[in-house]
Amino acid sequence: MKLLIVDDSSMMRTTIENHLQNYDLQIVGKASNGEEALQMVIDKKPDVVTLDITMPKMDGIQCLEEIMAVAPQTKVMIITALSDKYTGLEALKKGAREYLYKPVTPEDLKEGFDSLLNRN
Amino acid sequence: MDVQQLAFEKTVNVFINSLSNYFLKLTKKPIKTYAPFVKEPEDLIMKECTGMIGISGNKKGLIYISGDMGMFEDLIKQYVGLNSPTANDMLDMAGEVSNVVAGNVRETYGHEFMISIPVVFKGTPDRLKFPDDVPIYVIPMSWNGHEAFMVVGIK
């Protein structure tokens, strides 16, 4: 399974990579903004994307809309500090399959990822 | 205490709760906070590593979280799992902590509480910006033997 990690924090990209090491994943890219992420989705066709929202150039909500337009089968898990219900619902309506609030523990990530993989 | 100051102190408490939750959830080690005090922007001396978030929408202002490199190094080792972080990694972590602390405040203030992407810097810049007529609270804290502080200036 191909994974793309998107977060403007390099430490969060490393955290997500380290905490998902037990899954059979091929990390096909890491992006620090929505524009880079969209290009990587087009070029590398990941099965799963972990997507931050507050990012430069293109935020995660706009990026999610663009991903759903070009690759609607992609499973997107939002991982964001924005902990209000409105933003979570907006992301789910726009096609995200999971929504995790930072700060995320390794257990949160595994639970969210398992839930994402077990859904049709 | 007037109504405006009371409201501001409630806001400060929301940020303190968010900061406490961050460290406790990720490291299982609580922070200790000390009595907040008011400071003029020109008198603020930042620590080695600072993350700053701009606030707009239904509140306006800035928050800073500032600590020594050692605190962010310790946090990276415990949370990220990176044993030899660079100075840039520690600055990035300062930005990420400030992002999460500010972003989690939306649980209280809703989606119209807008946050910027983090700005990070080393040491004290020539000028720290705050909105006019806003009390600037410094909240000292310690975590795992490291001293740091959060600065909140919001209206």
Side-chain angles (χ1 to χ4, degrees), chain A residues 7-12 14-15 18-19 54-56 81-84 86-87 101-106 108, chain B residues 21-22 25-26 76 79-82 89 92-93 96 99-100 103-107 110-111 115-118:
Chain A
D7 198 302
D8 61 335
S9 162
S10 64
M11 288 298 89
M12 275 311 296
T14 303
T15 299
N18 286 348
H19 293 164
T54 308
M55 294 187 293
L82 304 181
S83 58
D84 60 291
Y86 176 91
T87 307
Y101 297 130
K102 292 178 183 176
V104 286
T105 62
D108 293 334
Chain B
N21 179 61
Y22 182 90
K25 186 174 179 193
L26 293 187
I76 290 168
Y79 175 50
V80 182
L82 203 59
D89 292 338
D92 182 277
M93 200 69 219
E96 179 61 13
N99 167 60
V100 177
N104 282 186
V105 169
R106 277 169 72 130
E107 192 173 356
H111 69 280
I115 64 168
S116 72
I117 58 170

Side-chain angles (χ1 to χ4, degrees), chain A residues 45-86:
Chain A
K45 300 177 175 52
D47 303 296
V48 178
V49 177
T50 67
L51 183 62
D52 187 16
I53 291 183
T54 308
M55 294 187 293
K57 295 187 182 174
M58 182 193 289
D59 71 27
I61 294 291
Q62 191 187 343
C63 182
L64 172 64
E65 285 182 298
E66 303 274 357
I67 290 171
M68 289 299 109
V70 298
Q73 74 287 354
T74 310
K75 292 179 175 179
V76 176
M77 178 162 72
I78 300 284
I79 303 176
T80 180
L82 304 181
S83 58
D84 60 291
K85 287 179 184 161
Y86 176 91

